[in-house]
C-alpha cells in the first residue's frame, strides 16, 4: 500500500505546478487486499477531487496507524 500511495503522489507532483506529498508516520502493516484497495481508491478519489475541483496548488496525504485504525 505504501508503495502504491507513493507512486500515486509522485505521479501527481509537479504536474501543472501542483505539489503532492506523502507522509507515512510509521510502517504500515500488511492489509488484507480488499482493505488496501479501498484505502488506495479513497485516496485516489480524494486527490482527483482536489485536482479537478479546487484551486489548490498542493496536497499532502498523511497516513498513520492509531490502535487498529489507519487514518
Amino acid at each position: 500500500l505504501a508503495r502504491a500511495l507513493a507512486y500515486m503522489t509522485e505521479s501527481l507532483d509537479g504536474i501543472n505546478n501542483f505539489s503532492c506529498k506523502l507522509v507515512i508516520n510509521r510502517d504500515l502493516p500488511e492489509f488484507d487486499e480488499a482493505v488496501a484497495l479501498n484505502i488506495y481508491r479513497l485516496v485516489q478519489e480524494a486527490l482527483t477531487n482536489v485536482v479537478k475541483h479546487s484551486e489548490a496548488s498542493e496536497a499532502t496525504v498523511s497516513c498513520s496507524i492509531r490502535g487498529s485504525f489507519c487514518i
Side-chain angles (χ1 to χ4, degrees):
L1 178 61
R3 283 183 274 166
L5 293 175
Y7 179 78
M8 181 192 317
T9 55
E10 289 168 5
S11 66
L12 287 173
D13 190 47
I15 295 176
N16 297 327
N17 295 319
F18 184 76
S19 174
C20 192
K21 296 180 175 74
L22 174 64
V23 176
I24 298 178
N25 294 335
R26 63 181 193 181
D27 290 339
L28 296 178
E30 289 295 320
F31 291 106
D32 177 86
E33 186 176 334
V35 172
L37 181 60
N38 280 301
I39 294 169
Y40 179 86
R41 294 288 186 212
L42 186 135
V43 172
Q44 182 181 47
E45 184 66 20
L47 286 175
T48 297
N49 288 339
V50 168
V51 170
K52 283 185 174 182
H53 304 295
S54 77
E55 295 180 15
S57 60
E58 64 183 48
T60 301
V61 175
S62 177
C63 295
S64 61
I65 302 298
R66 296 214 178 136
S68 60
F69 298 99
C70 177
I71 57 171

